[in-house]
Amino acid sequence: ADKQVLRVRFYDDPSGFDAATLFRIETENIAFNIYSGLTSYDGKTSKIIPDLADKWEVAPDGKALTFNLHKGVQFQKGFGEVTAEDVKFSIERYMKDPKSTFGNRFSDIASIETPDKNTVSFKLKAPSRYLVSSLASETALITPPELEKEYKTKAVGPGPYIHEQYLQGEGSTFKKNPDYIDAKNIWFN
C-alpha cells in the first residue's frame, strides 16, 4: 500500500483541542500527538527527558528553573519557530485561565522570564521538586499565541503529528509532521 494507516477507536468525541482545558482520555490522546512540552517521559523508564527543551538547570537555592530550548523547532502549519515567548505565553495561560485543567500545578511559579528567544526561566516562590514533571508534555503543552481564540477547534503544536481534520462522530485524521524534532522516532515512518 502507498500509505500506512493506523485506526484507533475512541469511545467518545474529544471535548475540544484547547491545551489549557484538556480533559478526558480521548482528548488527551489526540493532544499528545499534536503538542509538545518542555519535558516528557521516557516510555520505558518513566524518567523525565527533554522534549522542547534540550537541557535545564535548577538554581543552587532551588528558586529558579531555567530551560534552554532546542533551536529551530517549528510549530505545524506555518506558525513559525517555537520560542521562549511562546512557552511563557502558554504557561501563563495555564496559570491564569480559571478553566485550566492543570493550572494548580504551577502555583509555585512567581514569574517567568525570557532572557532570549531560546531561554525561559521560572522564578519560584519556594523550591519545588515537582515543577520539572509539571512542565512535562502531559500537563504543559506549548501552543502558538496566534491561535488563542481558536484553540477549541484548531490544534497546532510542534508535536509528531499534524491534525488535519476532525468530524464529529467520525473521528480525526492526522499525518506525520516532517519537521518534528524527533522525526526518526515517529512510529510510522
Side-chain angles (χ1 to χ4, degrees):
D2 290 337
K3 292 184 177 182
Q4 291 181 336
V5 176
L6 172 67
R7 296 187 196 288
V8 178
R9 178 179 177 207
F10 288 109
Y11 294 97
D12 201 357
D13 284 324
S15 57
F17 302 106
D18 184 347
T21 60
L22 291 176
F23 185 70
R24 297 181 26 232
I25 194 72
E26 294 83 8
T27 307
E28 291 171 358
N29 282 337
I30 291 171
F32 298 155
N33 288 292
I34 301 166
Y35 304 115
S36 293
L38 289 172
T39 60
S40 190
Y41 292 97
D42 182 290
K44 294 178 184 172
T45 66
S46 297
K47 290 184 179 181
I48 295 172
I49 58 172
D51 195 355
L52 291 175
D54 52 17
K55 63 181 179 175
W56 58 89
E57 67 179 49
V58 178
D61 67 359
K63 291 188 174 184
L65 185 58
T66 301
F67 289 84
N68 296 96
L69 302 180
H70 288 288
K71 293 178 181 164
V73 175
Q74 299 293 311
F75 281 115
Q76 304 153 356
K77 300 182 180 182
F79 278 88
E81 184 176 354
V82 177
T83 67
E85 286 295 330
D86 298 320
V87 173
K88 178 179 178 178
F89 168 83
S90 296
I91 302 304
E92 285 180 344
R93 190 166 166 266
Y94 281 102
M95 293 167 61
K96 295 174 185 174
D97 187 336
K99 297 177 190 169
S100 176
T101 309
F102 301 110
N104 62 343
R105 293 188 182 203
F106 306 108
S107 61
D108 291 335
I109 298 173
S111 66
I112 304 173
E113 297 175 5
T114 56
D116 62 55
K117 78 175 202 168
N118 292 308
T119 306
V120 61
S121 184
F122 298 90
K123 304 301 180 194
L124 308 178
K125 298 171 188 172
S128 171
R129 69 173 80 179
Y130 303 108
L131 188 57
V132 174
S133 62
S134 292
L135 291 166
S137 58
E138 285 78 5
T139 55
L141 303 166
I142 308 305
T143 57
E146 298 85 356
L147 275 179
E148 184 175 12
K149 295 189 181 357
E150 302 176 78
Y151 287 145
K152 193 118 178 113
T153 57
K154 290 190 178 177
V156 174
Y161 292 94
I162 298 169
H163 190 248
E164 290 192 303
Q165 182 179 32
Y166 166 68
L167 297 172
Q168 187 170 0
E170 293 185 37
S172 288
T173 305
F174 300 87
K175 70 177 181 181
K176 183 173 113 176
N177 178 4
D179 298 320
Y180 181 55
I181 58 173
D182 195 22
K184 68 185 178 303
N185 289 323
I186 293 179
W187 295 348
F188 304 102
N189 287 319

